[in-house]
Amino acid sequence: MSLSRREFLKSSAAASAAAAIGMSVPAELEAAAVTAEGGWRWDKAACRFCGTGCGIMMATKNGKIVAVKGDPAAPVNRGLNCIKGYFNAKIMYGADRLTTPLLRVNSKGEFDKHGKFAPVSWKRAFDEMESHIKYALKKSGPEGVAVFASGQYTVMEGYAAQKMMKAGFRSNAIDPNARHCMASAVVGFYQTFGIDEPSGCYDDIELTDTVVTWGSNMAEMHPILWSRVTDRKLSDPERVKVVNISTYRHRTSDLADMEIIFTPSTDLALWNYIAREIVYNNPQAIDWDFLKKNIVFAASPVNMGYGMRRKGEKSLTPVRPDGSAGKYSAKEMETINHEMVHRVSEAEAPALSVYGYKEGQDMVNKPAGLKHWEISFEEYKKFLEPYTLDYVAKVAKGDPDEPIEQFKEKLQTLADLYIEKGRKVVSFWTMGMNQHTRGTWVNTLSYNVHFMLNKQALPGNGAFSLTGQPSACGTAREVGTFCHRLPADMMVKSPKHRKITENGWHIPHGTLNPVGNQHIMKIHRDIEDGVVKFAWVNVCNAYQDSASAKHWIKAARTMDNFIVTSDGYPGISAMVSDLVLPSAMIYEKWGAYGNAERRTQHWRQQVLPVGDAMSDTWQWVELSKRFTVNDLWGPYTLRNGKKLPDVRGAAKKMGYSGDTTMFEILYANERAKAYKIDMDSFPQKGYDNSECNGDSRNVVGSDGKVFKGYGFMIHQYLFEEYASFGRGHGHDLADFVTYHKVRGLKWPVVDGKETQWRFNVKYDPYAAKHAKENGRGSTHAFYGTLAKALKQGNLRGMDKASKKKSLKDKAKIFARPYMEPPEVPDAEYDTWLCTGRVLEHWHSGTMTMRVPELYRAVPEALCYMHPQTAKDKGLRQGELCWVESRRGKVKARVETRGRNRPPRSLVFVPWFDEKVFINKVCLDATCPQSKQTDYKKCAVKIYKA
């Protein structure tokens, strides 16, 4: 049978689509598809992009990926992909893939920070890294060695990186770009439940009556889930309601029954309004039996700042008469000064009155950490009193052209939907609530409403954070690649957790560093302050994705440091670096991801990497060969005066010598070697394994010899060792081989079965066990262990004389007020700026801008604005304009008719385009509790370019 390319595509696509929806396929069509796919090898994998966790089927032939389609057996997407998903193959084969290490050198071939990039061997690359890491350790100790990590690491990569950083270099200066995407959700989970990650699952979509999106453009950011929402809406259009709550109109609005456009940051007020409606006007809706058995009320400090630099930091010194300070201009300092003292505004005053603040009063901000305490329901009720319909409508209405009475009617309808007895409600959010100077607060407020109504952790009911990256859950959170975390929800500050981890890693007690405060923004600031001397960018684009970006780029290029980037393509971070390493991309290595509904899924290496590229796992393991016990495990004194002990003597008692390498201790130990290579058995049979066996490219490795492989199944070892920390502790994972047989499983996996709804006695074996033990006869048990003993107090503070009371198996409802961000529009900078993504591109565009079809679809980032805004600024559709803040400016093309339709008060510019480098304009304020950057709101002025 002979087929043209067009006929082949039609027949293959039709056969796949029919199979996905369960249709019978005509024999002729099926035969044509089989013929067209002759010689192809199909295998399952996970999509490279967002945190939804879609499954794909991938075809390879002659060592190259030739086709991708949705996996009909994948329960998340059921055979459907979004536009990016269908181009998972093409992201691998851009024309400018990095294929060899590149080092900045002078004319003599010597490293020169001001030199030009030249190809070097892997051995030379590791020689340079070794030298500069040792220099950094000598100058700054463990705090001088940092890693910009990623929610796009595979589980194995992240675990390998964490082991070398925390056990080897004794540095907690490793933090993933997931800090930018879901850290507020994480701290919200910790504080509310005592354990991380959502209680529900995607099946809630088919079971609910109501979907409310809070700052979540699901139609473009989670399109597969939105297709399921759409299907649910259309299945029962009268009963099922969809509400979109956003700062501007976008594609998610098109399906919504009601759209609420709010002023940035006032989502705090909206949640508190709904809670007030329940407590004051619908008290009969409160499930008091549920609350008394399962919930306590809590409060925390409000004068905690905005996560910016503080007075006295090196780069803010000296303070000059013109208002500038250190490396920051007077304009920048206008905003940064709010970190120290904030004047209470007219809009904030009613909400803060219960804390004793008045309009115009100076609030002196102090770092508060995660401190909170228990309060009474009467105190919580007092806290809610200011959030009347009139007050909330006044501060929250985001469209200046919308009548206030219409907006009030929408707010009342929203509250009624939540309160209606028997109506199931799911609240979804992404960056709108997470990228927020009060991100932790607004996350906890979502649970307040669901708890009071007993609409949480039930099928079709619950507040659900939709994580943005493919393994921000699995690698950043579960593996623990944050600066403050260890595997399976353990924390570096806990002596008990450090000891458990040291035992698991077979390293001396006292090795692990208890100070974990170098989050992503602090790493950037520490580079600018001269503390961090070595920084390695892994599986992210740290110099494009950070707010106030010009500061960090300047510091990287001009300070005494050595910056390394491992990537598949030369993005901004690579161009900023001193050394660039070519990384194998996703399907060129074995891996695993964990997605937003707690689903872990694995894939096998499908093809060999291009050129001399090697996986990030390999890069970390090879680096470990360069460092010995004597090199790393001596004494150190940290900046805060904390001393890390000399553990070399203890290491000797464990059988290590001073010359034993970290490779031998952390990666090639006896436990690791027990995981055998078995190319005759599933899942290894028939698949390449570049790290374990080497491959036909004969890459010359870090020792100057052809790399022949480690000789054991390192991927299985890394996964199984990591998984061992969570098994039996409510974080149970299945075994490595099982994951290769299934389309992912939602943890905890107990007795081979996944858990759909956590904390619910009916569905969660751990909840059932805890409920039986605590004897409260409850339907739920919130069995997380973090912050489960609190002192008491009132809204204004903790009673220090009170004794801590156990809250075992209980969750919390928090009193947290509406507050403005530190920068709001004024006479000079009169417009809100919001940033984000578009459907066709992923994050910084490093991969998707290399796909011709996606590039042609959206070749540049546009400045979306209201037509009246353009008219008022003297601009027209398609013209170039300047978007300028106190930190910098970029030039972008005006778009008044596009998919994103802001009100007159706001403009939206996506950040995928390095030519429209919008993150230079953004403010690096963060939630002080989660340290997540607020990209969603800063003040700009718009004018003709």
Side-chain angles (χ1 to χ4, degrees):
M1 182 184 293
S2 177
L3 288 177
S4 70
R5 181 177 183 275
R6 181 177 179 82
E7 289 170 334
F8 149 64
L9 290 172
K10 286 171 62 178
S11 63
S12 183
S16 297
I21 60 174
M23 286 178 55
S24 59
V25 182
E28 184 178 349
L29 181 62
E30 188 170 17
V34 170
T35 301
E37 297 174 8
W40 290 12
R41 180 188 69 186
W42 286 98
D43 196 26
K44 74 176 182 73
C47 179
R48 175 61 179 79
F49 298 108
C50 78
T52 301
C54 293
I56 61 173
M57 295 299 293
M58 182 162 284
T60 55
K61 184 177 183 179
N62 298 329
K64 191 169 184 177
I65 301 169
V66 293
V68 174
K69 62 184 178 183
D71 182 357
V76 172
N77 55 311
R78 306 166 183 178
L80 184 65
N81 283 158
C82 77
I83 187 170
K84 291 189 297 295
Y86 286 114
F87 288 105
N88 268 289
K90 284 199 172 184
I91 62 172
M92 313 277 290
Y93 301 120
D96 58 344
R97 268 292 298 268
L98 294 167
T99 59
T100 189
L102 302 170
L103 177 69
R104 290 186 183 273
V105 297
N106 58 24
S107 59
K108 300 177 181 178
E110 302 163 331
F111 167 66
D112 183 343
K113 195 165 182 72
H114 305 290
K116 295 183 178 180
F117 283 118
V120 295
S121 68
W122 276 111
K123 182 179 184 302
R124 173 72 186 280
F126 282 106
D127 287 344
E128 294 289 345
M129 292 173 75
E130 176 188 352
S131 171
H132 287 280
I133 289 171
K134 287 179 176 177
Y135 173 80
L137 289 169
K138 182 178 180 180
K139 288 289 185 178
S140 299
E143 291 161 306
V145 178
V147 172
F148 293 106
S150 180
Q152 299 169 59
Y153 271 144
T154 68
V155 167
M156 296 77 152
E157 288 169 344
Y159 187 65
Q162 176 175 228
K163 287 191 80 175
M164 186 59 200
M165 280 296 289
K166 294 180 180 177
F169 298 133
R170 307 177 78 182
S171 172
N172 292 324
I174 173 172
D175 210 52
N177 59 359
R179 177 73 68 177
H180 295 313
C181 110
M182 33 47 67
S184 295
V186 171
V187 182
F189 283 123
Y190 283 165
Q191 294 202 333
T192 303
F193 299 98
I195 189 172
D196 195 9
E197 300 200 32
S199 53
C201 60
Y202 298 156
D203 291 356
D204 286 326
I205 294 170
E206 282 76 30
L207 299 172
T208 195
D209 305 312
T210 319
V211 172
V212 186
T213 59
W214 291 77
S216 177
N217 184 1
M218 286 178 69
E220 292 201 59
M221 304 310 120
H222 296 86
I224 298 304
L225 296 183
W226 194 242
S227 73
R228 291 175 62 171
V229 171
T230 303
D231 183 62
R232 175 62 183 139
K233 170 65 179 174
L234 297 178
S235 71
D236 191 355
E238 293 303 313
R239 173 64 180 171
V240 176
K241 301 299 179 185
V242 177
V243 181
N244 182 44
I245 303 175
S246 178
T247 58
Y248 62 95
R249 186 173 178 81
H250 45 65
R251 285 182 171 176
T252 299
S253 309
D254 297 340
L255 181 71
D257 295 277
M258 184 172 72
E259 177 182 61
I260 295 173
I261 302 297
F262 69 95
T263 300
S265 270
T266 61
D267 43 1
L268 293 153
L270 296 179
W271 277 116
N272 284 330
Y273 161 72
I274 300 169
R276 188 188 189 281
E277 280 293 297
I278 296 168
V279 169
Y280 280 81
N281 298 328
N282 296 273
Q284 76 285 352
I286 299 174
D287 189 328
W288 277 110
D289 181 64
F290 174 81
L291 291 186
K292 288 174 180 176
K293 290 176 179 176
N294 298 292
I295 305 295
V296 300
F297 296 87
S300 58
V302 297
N303 59 328
M304 60 181 185
Y306 305 94
M308 296 183 286
R309 280 193 175 277
R310 292 194 64 81
K311 183 179 180 181
E313 291 184 14
K314 186 173 181 180
S315 291
L316 288 188
T317 305
V319 178
R320 305 182 188 90
D322 66 355
S324 65
K327 297 176 181 178
Y328 290 77
S329 69
K331 285 290 184 185
E332 289 175 293
M333 291 305 298
E334 288 177 2
T335 300
I336 292 173
N337 284 331
H338 284 268
E339 180 64 22
M340 281 60 78
V341 179
H342 170 69
R343 183 155 293 173
V344 176
S345 72
E346 177 186 0
E348 295 170 308
L352 294 174
S353 63
V354 295
Y355 297 91
Y357 290 100
K358 297 178 181 179
E359 181 185 348
Q361 183 176 347
D362 282 346
M363 176 185 284
V364 178
N365 291 318
K366 302 174 183 177
L370 302 178
K371 181 170 62 178
H372 59 280
W373 53 89
E374 187 177 355
I375 60 172
S376 66
F377 172 73
E378 288 69 28
E379 283 288 293
Y380 177 67
K381 186 174 181 179
K382 183 196 301 184
F383 157 78
L384 289 176
E385 199 282 328
Y387 297 94
T388 63
L389 181 59
D390 286 343
Y391 168 60
V392 173
K394 180 181 177 181
V395 299
K397 187 171 77 74
D399 182 353
D401 299 320
E402 181 174 16
I404 189 72
E405 292 305 318
Q406 178 177 299
F407 189 73
K408 287 183 182 180
E409 185 179 335
K410 288 180 179 180
L411 297 189
Q412 185 66 66
T413 300
L414 175 67
D416 290 345
L417 287 171
Y418 276 98
I419 294 167
E420 182 183 327
K421 187 175 178 61
R423 173 171 286 278
K424 297 178 180 179
V425 186
V426 176
S427 303
F428 285 120
W429 68 90
T430 45
M431 298 309 103
M433 274 173 49
N434 291 347
Q435 292 178 344
H436 200 306
T437 51
R438 293 293 182 265
T440 298
W441 285 11
V442 73
N443 269 265
T444 58
L445 293 183
S446 70
Y447 302 116
N448 292 1
V449 169
H450 282 268
F451 280 151
M452 283 194 287
L453 301 169
N454 192 6
K455 293 185 178 183
Q456 180 68 32
L458 289 164
N461 273 311
F464 196 118
S465 166
L466 290 172
T467 300
Q469 296 190 74
S471 201
C473 290
T475 310
R477 294 155 79 166
E478 296 160 23
V479 169
T481 52
F482 283 97
C483 65
H484 64 288
R485 288 181 73 160
L486 294 166
D489 278 329
M490 293 190 291
M491 302 291 165
V492 299
K493 71 177 181 180
S494 166
K496 178 182 176 182
H497 292 173
R498 293 198 304 274
K499 189 173 182 180
I500 291 170
T501 306
E502 286 163 345
N503 289 340
W505 288 349
H506 201 58
I507 59 177
H509 293 162
T511 304
L512 294 181
N513 182 344
V515 181
N517 61 11
Q518 285 177 280
H519 55 87
I520 272 192
M521 289 315 308
K522 185 160 178 57
I523 292 173
H524 278 304
R525 293 166 186 169
D526 279 349
I527 293 173
E528 188 174 54
D529 287 349
V531 175
V532 169
K533 302 290 187 183
F534 177 94
W536 191 2
V537 180
N538 282 190
V539 203
C540 65
N541 195 348
Y543 285 91
Q544 186 174 339
D545 71 20
S546 288
S548 200
K550 70 176 185 180
H551 274 277
W552 325 127
I553 289 175
K554 182 178 181 180
R557 293 307 312 135
T558 61
M559 300 288 290
D560 174 27
N561 55 47
F562 189 77
I563 311 295
V564 182
T565 290
S566 295
D567 206 338
Y569 292 104
I572 286 178
S573 295
M575 292 186 281
V576 165
S577 296
D578 302 300
L579 174 66
V580 181
L581 304 178
S583 284
M585 293 185 67
I586 177 170
Y587 310 114
E588 297 169 339
K589 57 196 176 189
W590 291 65
Y593 280 161
N595 75 6
E597 63 165 354
R598 294 173 280 109
R599 182 181 300 277
T600 307
Q601 47 190 331
H602 286 230
W603 65 89
R604 298 180 278 200
Q605 182 177 340
Q606 302 296 315
V607 292
L608 297 183
V610 300
D612 284 347
M614 294 296 286
S615 75
D616 292 80
T617 300
W618 181 87
Q619 292 174 36
W620 275 104
V621 174
E622 291 302 293
L623 181 67
S624 73
K625 295 177 178 178
R626 300 300 187 101
F627 296 90
T628 66
V629 167
N630 282 340
D631 290 332
L632 302 181
W633 283 0
Y636 291 103
T637 301
L638 304 178
R639 277 180 290 182
N640 65 356
K642 179 80 176 180
K643 294 185 182 296
L644 298 185
D646 187 333
V647 296
R648 289 174 293 185
K652 188 174 182 180
K653 293 178 181 178
M654 297 177 72
Y656 305 135
S657 73
D659 294 328
T660 304
T661 66
M662 293 298 124
F663 172 70
E664 296 167 278
I665 297 171
L666 301 178
Y667 305 111
N669 48 59
E670 291 307 308
R671 290 161 293 152
K673 292 176 181 177
Y675 291 93
K676 304 296 184 183
I677 298 293
D678 185 358
M679 299 306 296
D680 294 323
S681 299
F682 180 87
Q684 299 177 42
K685 185 177 182 179
Y687 286 83
D688 289 307
N689 196 327
S690 295
E691 295 92 335
C692 300
N693 298 328
D695 60 49
S696 59
R697 295 174 302 152
N698 291 322
V699 173
V700 176
S702 63
D703 59 358
K705 301 175 183 177
V706 172
F707 179 70
K708 295 294 187 181
Y710 297 123
F712 59 94
M713 189 59 176
I714 193 169
H715 315 290
Q716 189 171 7
Y717 160 64
L718 291 170
F719 179 80
E720 292 292 352
E721 184 179 271
Y722 145 66
S724 68
F725 287 105
R727 291 177 180 143
H729 305 288
H731 200 127
D732 307 62
L733 296 169
D735 65 274
F736 181 85
V737 174
T738 293
Y739 281 116
H740 284 281
K741 296 177 180 177
V742 300
R743 263 57 176 187
L745 293 169
K746 296 187 285 292
W747 62 265
V749 181
V750 181
D751 296 329
K753 296 179 181 179
E754 64 181 1
T755 300
Q756 298 285 83
W757 290 276
R758 281 202 305 168
F759 313 128
N760 187 311
V761 169
K762 184 176 179 181
Y763 301 98
D764 182 347
Y766 279 96
K769 177 177 179 289
H770 279 254
K772 184 177 180 180
E773 290 173 353
N774 68 41
R776 289 198 290 263
S778 177
T779 56
H780 292 73
F782 299 101
Y783 50 79
T785 59
L786 299 174
K788 284 299 183 78
L790 294 182
K791 290 195 170 190
Q792 288 75 53
N794 57 32
L795 290 173
R796 299 196 184 189
M798 179 196 299
D799 178 1
K800 294 180 181 178
S802 66
K803 293 184 178 180
K804 282 190 174 183
K805 186 172 75 176
S806 173
L807 313 175
K808 185 179 180 183
D809 295 337
K810 290 191 175 185
K812 300 164 194 166
I813 284 177
F814 279 92
R816 274 156 172 179
Y818 160 62
M819 292 183 71
E820 290 179 334
E823 185 173 272
V824 298
D826 58 18
E828 183 177 2
Y829 300 94
D830 60 356
T831 304
W832 289 107
L833 168 68
C834 179
T835 64
R837 294 197 286 115
V838 294
L839 170 66
E840 293 82 357
H841 289 295
W842 174 244
H843 282 198
S844 61
T846 311
M847 294 179 290
T848 53
M849 286 289 272
R850 265 90 181 168
V851 177
E853 292 86 346
L854 298 177
Y855 177 83
R856 286 195 298 267
V858 183
E860 63 179 323
L862 305 173
C863 181
Y864 294 89
M865 67 179 66
H866 192 281
Q868 188 61 47
T869 302
K871 185 176 181 181
D872 292 345
K873 306 292 183 184
L875 299 166
R876 289 189 293 183
Q877 167 72 23
E879 286 187 337
L880 291 172
C881 70
W882 285 108
V883 181
E884 181 177 343
S885 73
R886 290 171 172 84
R887 291 155 296 282
K889 64 180 182 179
V890 298
K891 197 183 294 185
R893 200 169 303 280
V894 173
E895 177 56 78
T896 62
R897 305 176 304 198
R899 63 181 80 177
N900 300 301
R901 292 148 278 173
R904 287 189 290 114
S905 52
L906 182 143
V907 296
F908 172 78
V909 183
W911 67 281
F912 67 85
D913 187 354
E914 63 185 38
K915 298 184 298 299
V916 183
F917 195 176
I918 196 63
N919 282 342
K920 291 191 300 183
V921 177
C922 293
L923 174 65
D924 62 315
T926 72
C927 168
Q929 294 185 306
S930 71
K931 317 301 181 187
Q932 179 164 356
T933 314
D934 188 343
Y935 294 91
K936 296 301 177 184
K937 56 197 80 76
C938 70
V940 297
K941 54 185 174 184
I942 312 291
Y943 53 95
K944 194 167 186 175

